[in-house]
Amino acid sequence: MALSFKHPLHPAVGAMLALLLAAQAQASSHREAPFITNIPKADATDFYMFRSYEPGRERFVTLIADYVPLQDPYGGPNYFMLDPNALYEIHIDNNGDAKEDLTFQFRFTNTNKDAQFTVGGKKVSIPLVINGGAIDGANAAGTNVRETYAVTVVRGDRRGGTKGAVSNVDGGITFDKPIDNIGRKSIPDYAGYAARHVYEVKIPGCEVPARMFVGQRKDPFVVNLGETFDLVNIKAPAVEFNANAERNARDDLSNKNVTTIAMEVAASCLVAPGGADPVIGGWTTASVRQGRLVNPAPGTGTGASKEGGAWTQVSRLGMPLVNEVVIGLKDKDRFNHSKPSSDAQFADYVTHPTLPMLVETLFGSAGAKAPTNFPRNDLVAAFLTGVKGLNQPAKVTPSEMLRLNTAIAPVAMGKQKRLGVIDGDNAGFPNGRRPGDDVVDIALRVVMGKLCTLSLGCVPADAPAGAIRFTDGAYLDDAAFTMAFPYLKPPLPGSPQQ
């Protein structure tokens, strides 16, 4: 029995579901809450945390936080530099108390080198980010703007914990970020150029050197966005596999880039001291200053605005799709400003979710019946505690974050299963998240009761539609990525000219 998303529907209800599913479809977190649309440079799009599967790096964990959604490759002349007035952070909880025990803080600095041409005997500043000539190394002479960053590791509370600077192998604490992929004439070998910005670094308190990269990458997500907005004008199969429905939809992010913050850290440096519990939790945030004063007459030496006051968190991302299809519209901004330790206020959205009821309202006659177990303990396990025996800490405070059991060995590229745990691959989502995990399809199936068919938090009888292969039709697996850190492919060039 096939489930068609072209089933007749009431226009008002159809529009509501279309908006919900479309929000889900915009990758993990592209423009997911009203306020964050005003400050896209602080908008986290995806967060990944997984055991490194690059050969020889199996004892490491890779952390990837992507920011600045929907980047058009041709977006010059300024392209997509990160905000020097923002604080970008990756947090690790290694004792299950919903509070960060380890935080990596990234701050950026943009320096205008003020390249000039002599025109009619006068030196005149050029309008472009580049000055001409091939660019092949960090801070190349051909660049007009130098973007650098510094990283601080905080142990304990991120505001009052013990701090130390992450340093290069030569002791330097300032790192260059590659400029965005302007085009092949400016940067003939972008992959090679970007690779020169992968740093081996020392993390205070960690004896094993880590690796780090910050720079533009191809957007790692795939989604059939346009048809989803069109009153969910897509088809989804039932229990049997249907290649046409699950593989052949348009990827509306195929021509977009993002900005990646990536670290590869030894698992032994992330787990709690002593290593008794191998499970860690992780999430990424961005914060900006509380106050902004706009300069009515910016000029040389004075910026367009002045920021001040305490840091205020405006973006938060752990588990994918939570703010999109779990949190109600009235609380989306509140969620982005909140900490995992305060997630009890959002519990009803998980234990009594609305999306399954909307799916049943629209497509119940086609077999899409919502799960009947309340509270939804299967979703509590997936989103708030980790799954017992898989990635649940020994002691856990229910809270939303990505959880990874670092004791589970990685699966080599080419052998990973895109549906992760629900397809028998325990190294995949929701045990952490790899780039090739198709979290849209996984989340659709889990919210409609797939875990009940596996007797995880509920029983098969609780999920009449638990075996349906819900999908957006935009196929994703590990073949879309590389085998080595930072795993995401180089960004698309702004100029198609060879």
Side-chain angles (χ1 to χ4, degrees):
M1 177 174 59
L3 172 63
S4 172
F5 278 177
K6 293 183 179 178
H7 191 75
L9 49 87
H10 186 281
V13 178
M16 185 183 300
L17 182 63
L19 289 173
L20 280 169
L21 288 182
Q24 168 184 321
Q26 289 191 0
S28 291
S29 190
H30 291 48
R31 296 170 54 84
E32 80 290 344
F35 182 71
I36 199 63
T37 62
N38 298 321
I39 42 177
K41 287 190 175 185
D43 187 359
T45 67
D46 284 284
F47 180 63
Y48 302 90
M49 182 169 66
F50 56 95
R51 282 278 301 274
S52 298
Y53 53 86
E54 177 182 344
R57 304 292 293 184
E58 294 82 2
R59 61 175 178 154
F60 290 84
V61 170
T62 295
L63 309 166
I64 297 175
D66 288 339
Y67 280 87
V68 194
L70 305 176
Q71 296 180 20
D72 291 318
Y74 51 81
N78 290 293
Y79 297 94
F80 303 96
M81 290 177 286
L82 291 176
D83 187 354
N85 294 305
L87 174 66
Y88 302 87
E89 297 178 294
I90 296 175
H91 310 271
I92 300 295
D93 169 21
N94 58 26
N95 59 13
D97 66 354
K99 299 177 182 178
E100 64 270 10
D101 299 293
L102 196 65
T103 298
F104 298 100
Q105 299 181 328
F106 291 75
R107 293 292 311 276
F108 291 83
T109 300
N110 301 331
T111 303
N112 181 356
K113 297 160 68 173
D114 194 25
Q116 299 177 339
F117 283 165
T118 300
V119 182
K122 291 186 176 181
K123 292 282 189 180
V124 181
S125 299
I126 69 168
L128 304 178
V129 175
I130 57 171
N131 187 24
I135 297 170
D136 61 1
N139 191 27
T143 59
N144 194 20
V145 174
R146 183 185 186 188
E147 188 173 9
T148 59
Y149 62 98
V151 186
T152 301
V153 60
V154 184
R155 297 186 182 276
D157 181 83
R158 58 178 169 167
R159 296 295 178 257
T162 302
K163 298 183 178 182
V166 173
S167 62
N168 208 333
V169 290
D170 61 3
I173 60 173
T174 299
F175 304 89
D176 275 280
K177 173 182 172 291
I179 63 174
D180 294 344
N181 194 357
I182 297 169
R184 294 180 179 90
K185 186 175 182 180
S186 298
I187 314 173
D189 177 17
Y190 192 89
Y193 163 70
R196 296 182 182 91
H197 295 80
V198 174
Y199 297 97
E200 183 174 300
V201 298
K202 298 178 181 179
I203 299 173
C206 180
E207 295 181 358
V208 183
R211 290 195 293 186
M212 185 168 67
F213 170 82
V214 177
Q216 193 180 47
R217 297 278 95 181
K218 166 71 182 68
D219 193 314
F221 215 78
V222 299
V223 59
N224 180 10
L225 189 57
E227 291 180 350
T228 304
F229 266 122
D230 185 23
L231 293 180
V232 199
N233 189 19
I234 58 180
K235 290 185 177 181
V239 177
E240 64 277 3
F241 175 73
N242 183 317
N244 184 61
E246 295 194 39
R247 290 181 180 270
N248 298 325
R250 183 180 66 232
D251 171 20
D252 290 318
L253 298 182
S254 63
N255 62 346
K256 303 295 184 182
N257 295 325
V258 293
T259 300
T260 289
I261 297 173
M263 299 192 74
E264 186 186 55
V265 184
S268 60
C269 297
L270 298 175
V271 299
D277 190 344
V279 176
I280 59 174
W283 68 100
T284 188
T285 63
S287 301
V288 297
R289 296 295 188 182
Q290 282 184 339
R292 169 174 290 179
L293 181 65
V294 177
N295 187 349
T300 302
T302 61
S305 66
K306 179 69 174 179
E307 282 73 16
W311 289 114
T312 300
Q313 181 181 303
V314 294
S315 179
R316 170 186 168 190
L317 178 59
M319 289 283 291
L321 310 176
V322 169
N323 209 359
E324 288 71 21
V325 297
V326 177
I327 305 300
L329 178 61
K330 71 182 180 69
D331 285 326
K332 288 183 180 297
D333 286 334
R334 180 188 295 272
F335 180 83
N336 266 351
H337 287 67
S338 69
K339 298 180 179 181
S341 58
S342 65
D343 280 350
Q345 64 183 312
F346 305 117
D348 286 349
Y349 289 123
V350 178
T351 59
H352 295 74
T354 57
L355 181 59
M357 297 304 299
L358 286 170
V359 173
E360 178 176 331
T361 299
L362 292 171
F363 310 118
S365 62
K369 302 292 185 180
T372 58
N373 55 307
F374 297 105
R376 287 291 301 274
N377 289 326
D378 54 328
L379 298 187
V380 170
F383 291 113
L384 301 182
T385 66
V387 178
K388 190 173 183 179
L390 176 72
N391 65 339
Q392 187 179 108
K395 297 180 180 179
V396 61
T397 298
S399 51
E400 188 280 309
M401 64 181 70
L402 202 58
R403 290 182 171 87
L404 173 69
N405 186 340
T406 63
I408 294 177
V411 174
M413 183 176 177
K415 296 183 179 180
Q416 298 173 14
K417 295 184 178 180
R418 72 183 190 92
L419 298 180
V421 172
I422 65 173
D423 197 24
D425 182 355
N426 286 347
F429 183 78
N431 180 34
R433 180 188 175 193
R434 302 168 301 199
D437 291 335
D438 194 339
V439 295
V440 170
D441 282 8
I442 297 171
L444 279 171
R445 298 179 197 193
V446 167
V447 79
M448 291 304 291
K450 178 62 179 179
L451 295 185
C452 297
T453 70
L454 305 175
S455 296
L456 296 175
C458 45
V459 297
D462 293 328
I468 291 179
R469 300 176 67 99
F470 292 95
T471 181
D472 71 336
Y475 190 84
L476 178 68
D477 64 14
D478 62 351
F481 305 95
T482 69
M483 188 181 295
F485 180 83
Y487 295 100
L488 308 188
K489 286 188 174 180
L492 302 172
S495 168
Q497 300 298 325
Q498 297 296 325

